[in-house]
Amino acid sequence: MNYVSIIIPFVGGLGMFIYGMQIMAQGLENAAGSKMKTLLEALTKNKFFGVLLGAFITAVIQSSSATTVMVVGFVNAGIMNLTQAMGVIMGANIGTTVTGWLVSSVEWAKFLSPGNLAPIAIMLGVIVMLTGTRRSTKDVSSIIIGFGLLFVGITTMSSAVSPLQDSEGFRNIFVTLGHNPFLGIIAGAVVTAVIQSSSASVGILQSLAAAGLVPFNAAVYIIMGQNIGTCVTAIMSSIGAKKTAKTAAVMHLLFNIIGTVLFSIVAIVFFKVIYPNAGGGVITQTEISTVHTIFNIGTTVLLFPVSDLIIKLAKKLEKEDEREVDESKVLLDDRMLETPGIALQSTVSEVVRMGNIVRATLDKSKRVMFTKDYQEILDIKEEESTVDRLCSGITDYVIKISSLSINEKEHQHVASLLQIISDIERISDYCENISEFAETLQIRKAEFSETGTAEMREMIDVCTDSYIYAIEAFAENSKEKAMKVIEKESQADDLEIRLRAEHMKRLASNQCNTDAGIVYLDALVCLERISDHSRNIAEEVLTVAV
C-alpha cells in the first residue's frame, strides 16, 4: 500500500478543514462581536451565565482551547475571578461539540452531503464577497466560504483514508485502543495536544469513522482523551502569567480529567460487563457527535454542583497567592485578542480603571491646594507616573486591536478609546501641575486671600464634577451624564472668565499676594483645561455608540 498517497491528501484535507474552521469562526465572531460584549457583562451575575457564555463563544470561534486561553487571559488581567472562569470553562466543553455536528450532518441530513453542498457554499460565498460592499456582507461571505472549505477538508480526509479499510494492521490499531482504555485516552490526548484543537481532532476521528475504520469503544476512549489534550494549549498559555491565571488552567485540566475518569469507569463497565458486543461495532460520524456531546454535557451537569471544590483543589495544587495588584500594570492580555469584541470591552474596563485612578488624584488635588500636604503632593506625582504607564500600555493594546479584523463600528470604538485615553492622561498631567502649584505656595509661604480661596474652591468643585460625570458617562455609556459634563464645562468657562477678571482687580488694588496671585491664575488655566478634556470625553460618548 502506498502510504504517501494517503498521508499527503489527508494532511492537505486537515489543513483545509482547520482553515475553513478559522474563516467561518472569524466571520461569526465579527457578526457576533456586540453580543459577545453584552454576554461578557452577564459574567458578573453567576456561574450558570458563565457556562452559557463559554458555550456561545466556543461555538463561534470553533475551539474550546482558544476560549480557555482567553479565560486564562481574563483571569490574568483581573477581569474575571476563578468562579466565573470555572463556568466559562465548563461551557467551552459544550460549545466545542458544534463542529462535530456540522461534520456529521452529512449523515443525518443527506441534502447536506459535502459533494453537493461544499462547492455550492464556496461559490455562493465568493459571489457574496465579490458583490457585497458592506463589512457585514463580507462577514457573511466568510461564514459561507469557511463552511464550504470545512466540508471539502473533511471529504478529502475521508477519501484519503478509505484505502485503509483493507489494511488489517490499521484496523488492529483501533481494535487495540478499544480494548485498552488507557491507550485510547492517551491517543486522543496526544493527537489533540499536537494540533491544539479538539474540534479538528474530532474531525479527524469522524473522517476515519466515515471510512469504517473506528470501533465504537475505541472512539469513546479517544473522545475522552481529546478533552484532556485540549487542556495543553491553556496550560502553555499560562506560562509566565500570574498564579491565579495558572490556577485557571489547572482548573480546566482537573475538570476534564475528573470527567474522563468518571465516564471511563462507566464506559469500561458498559463495554466489558453489560454489553460486550457493543464495543466492536463500527461507529458512525453522527454517533461520534452524540458521544462527544453526551460526555461534555454530562461532565458539566455532574461537576457543576461541586465546581467550587475543583477550584479549591486547583488553588492547592498551584499554591495560589492573592497578592496586591500593581496599579501601574496594564491588566490586559494578548490572549483576549482572539476575540476582538471581548478585547474591546476588556479595554473599556481598563480605561475606566485608569480614569478612576485619576479621579482619586483629582480629589487629592482639591485638598492639596489649600492644605499643601507634602505627602499628598508626592502621592499625586506618583499617581501621575502610574497613569502615564497605564496610558502607554493601554494605547499599545488598542493599536493591536485596530490591526485585527474588526468591523466599522469597532474601528470607531477604537478611535474613540484612543481619544479618551489621551484626555484622561492630560487631566492627570494637570493634577500634577496643581500639586506643583501647591508646592510653590508652600515653599514661598504664600496664601490665597479669603475671597480667592472661596473662588478657587468654587472653580475646583465645578471642574471636578465635570470630570466625575465624564468618567461615569463613559463607564455607563450614559448620554444623560455626558450632557451634564457639557453643562459643567460651559459653567467652568464662564466662571474662569469672571474669576480671572475679579482676581486682576484684587492684584491691582494690592489685596492679594503676588506669588499667590500668579499661582491662582495658573491654577485657573489648569482647572479650565480639565473641564475641556472632560467635555472631550463626553462628546466621544455622545458620538460613538458603544
Side-chain angles (χ1 to χ4, degrees):
M1 185 176 293
N2 185 358
Y3 287 102
V4 174
S5 63
I6 295 174
I7 293 171
I8 292 177
F10 183 82
V11 171
L14 176 60
M16 196 171 297
F17 179 86
I18 294 173
Y19 183 58
M21 266 201 318
Q22 288 184 339
I23 292 177
M24 183 169 65
Q26 187 64 62
L28 284 165
E29 185 182 319
N30 289 341
S34 59
K35 290 184 177 63
M36 285 187 180
K37 288 185 285 184
T38 303
L39 285 169
L40 180 64
E41 294 171 358
L43 269 177
T44 58
K45 301 189 186 300
N46 58 46
K47 202 185 310 176
F48 178 71
F49 282 104
V51 174
L52 297 179
L53 178 65
F56 172 78
I57 293 176
T58 305
V60 168
I61 65 178
Q62 301 281 297
S63 173
S64 60
S65 298
T67 301
T68 311
V69 166
M70 281 192 294
V71 167
V72 171
F74 290 146
V75 173
N76 193 49
I79 294 168
M80 185 184 292
N81 61 40
L82 290 174
T83 301
Q84 293 168 333
M86 190 75 235
V88 178
I89 287 168
M90 290 187 286
N93 280 15
I94 296 172
T96 196
T97 62
V98 170
T99 308
W101 283 109
L102 283 175
V103 172
S104 65
S105 64
V106 300
E107 290 182 344
W108 48 267
K110 297 296 183 183
F111 65 92
L112 293 177
S113 64
N116 296 330
L117 189 62
I120 296 173
I122 293 173
M123 193 63 226
L124 180 61
V126 170
I127 292 171
V128 172
M129 180 179 65
L130 294 176
T131 56
T133 55
R134 298 178 61 183
R135 181 57 184 263
S136 57
T137 308
K138 301 287 186 184
D139 293 337
V140 171
S141 71
S142 294
I143 296 169
I144 298 172
I145 293 172
F147 188 70
L149 288 176
L150 184 148
F151 272 164
V152 171
I154 199 71
T155 305
T156 304
M157 285 193 291
S158 299
S159 300
V161 298
S162 59
L164 294 174
Q165 294 177 25
D166 302 323
S167 172
E168 195 65 30
F170 198 80
R171 282 177 173 276
N172 287 337
I173 291 173
F174 280 99
V175 170
T176 302
L177 295 178
H179 287 308
N180 191 321
F182 181 75
L183 287 179
I185 291 169
I186 291 295
V190 169
V191 171
T192 306
V194 169
I195 62 177
Q196 297 202 9
S197 171
S198 59
S199 296
S201 182
V202 170
I204 293 173
L205 187 64
Q206 287 178 307
S207 68
L208 294 169
L213 294 168
V214 187
F216 204 101
N217 51 7
V220 170
Y221 299 132
I222 290 170
I223 287 169
M224 289 189 282
Q226 288 168 338
N227 273 45
I228 294 176
T230 196
C231 301
V232 170
T233 311
I235 290 171
M236 289 173 60
S237 76
S238 70
I239 296 172
K242 293 191 309 183
K243 288 269 188 183
T244 313
K246 291 178 181 177
T247 303
V250 172
M251 278 162 33
H252 184 212
L253 181 61
L254 284 174
F255 177 76
N256 284 352
I257 287 176
I258 293 170
T260 297
V261 170
L262 292 175
F263 276 86
S264 293
I265 293 171
V266 172
I268 290 169
V269 171
F270 180 80
F271 291 129
K272 301 285 186 182
V273 180
I274 298 176
Y275 199 175
N277 295 329
V282 175
I283 196 168
T284 66
Q285 291 179 323
T286 303
E287 286 169 340
I288 287 175
S289 298
T290 303
V291 170
H292 192 209
T293 303
I294 289 173
F295 171 60
N296 284 314
I297 292 178
T299 302
T300 299
V301 171
L302 286 174
L303 298 184
F304 186 88
V306 295
S307 56
D308 288 340
L309 296 178
I310 296 175
I311 295 172
K312 288 179 182 178
L313 179 57
K315 284 181 177 180
K316 281 189 176 181
L317 291 174
E318 198 47 53
K319 295 181 181 177
E320 180 199 352
D321 56 349
E322 299 287 349
R323 289 175 291 185
E324 188 175 344
V325 177
D326 178 6
E327 279 197 332
S328 67
K329 184 177 180 181
V330 177
L331 303 180
L332 293 169
D333 199 295
D334 286 351
R335 299 169 182 87
M336 290 183 284
L337 295 172
E338 292 285 340
T339 307
I342 292 181
L344 266 174
Q345 186 63 28
S346 303
T347 306
V348 169
S349 299
E350 190 67 350
V351 175
V352 170
R353 184 174 76 88
M354 173 180 161
N356 286 332
I357 290 173
V358 175
R359 180 174 176 172
T361 306
L362 193 55
D363 281 340
K364 289 186 178 74
S365 301
K366 285 176 65 174
R367 296 190 298 270
V368 83
M369 279 290 288
F370 310 105
T371 64
K372 306 176 192 65
D373 183 272
Y374 185 66
Q375 185 54 54
E376 286 203 319
I377 291 173
L378 293 178
D379 289 345
I380 290 169
K381 291 180 178 180
E382 179 59 34
E383 287 170 6
E384 203 283 322
S385 296
T386 296
V387 170
D388 281 347
R389 290 192 291 273
L390 283 174
C391 176
S392 177
I394 298 172
T395 299
D396 289 343
Y397 193 81
V398 173
I399 290 171
K400 286 180 184 178
I401 295 175
S402 69
S403 67
L404 301 174
S405 179
I406 57 178
N407 59 40
E408 186 59 35
K409 187 175 180 180
E410 288 169 331
H411 271 297
Q412 291 175 356
H413 195 177
V414 164
S416 174
L417 280 176
L418 289 172
Q419 179 61 54
I420 290 170
I421 292 166
S422 174
D423 284 317
I424 292 174
E425 194 277 330
R426 292 297 295 135
I427 290 171
S428 176
D429 287 342
Y430 287 124
C431 288
E432 184 181 33
N433 290 345
I434 290 172
S435 74
E436 290 170 351
F437 298 152
E439 195 171 12
T440 299
L441 290 173
Q442 183 190 55
I443 292 170
R444 298 184 181 179
K445 302 189 184 312
E447 297 284 348
F448 295 141
S449 66
E450 188 175 332
T451 304
T453 298
E455 291 176 346
M456 182 59 66
R457 287 189 187 278
E458 183 183 5
M459 183 69 174
I460 288 175
D461 286 343
V462 170
C463 295
T464 301
D465 289 346
S466 176
Y467 177 71
I468 291 171
Y469 279 129
I471 287 300
E472 290 178 352
F474 171 64
E476 302 166 17
N477 193 29
S478 169
K479 290 179 171 51
E480 181 182 346
K481 288 188 176 179
M483 291 304 299
K484 287 184 178 180
V485 177
I486 293 174
E487 292 174 12
K488 289 288 182 181
E489 195 276 334
S490 298
Q491 185 180 343
D493 283 347
D494 295 340
L495 195 57
E496 194 264 348
I497 293 170
R498 178 172 65 81
L499 296 185
R500 178 179 293 275
E502 291 179 0
H503 183 69
M504 294 304 291
K505 290 178 184 177
R506 286 196 299 274
L507 282 175
S509 59
N510 293 318
Q511 296 177 28
C512 185
N513 177 278
T514 304
D515 289 334
I518 294 171
V519 168
Y520 182 95
L521 293 174
D522 288 340
L524 282 182
V525 172
C526 280
L527 290 167
E528 195 275 330
R529 296 279 169 77
I530 287 173
S531 71
D532 285 343
H533 286 289
S534 299
R535 177 170 182 145
N536 290 345
I537 296 170
E539 287 176 345
E540 291 297 331
V541 174
L542 292 171
T543 56
V544 178
V546 179

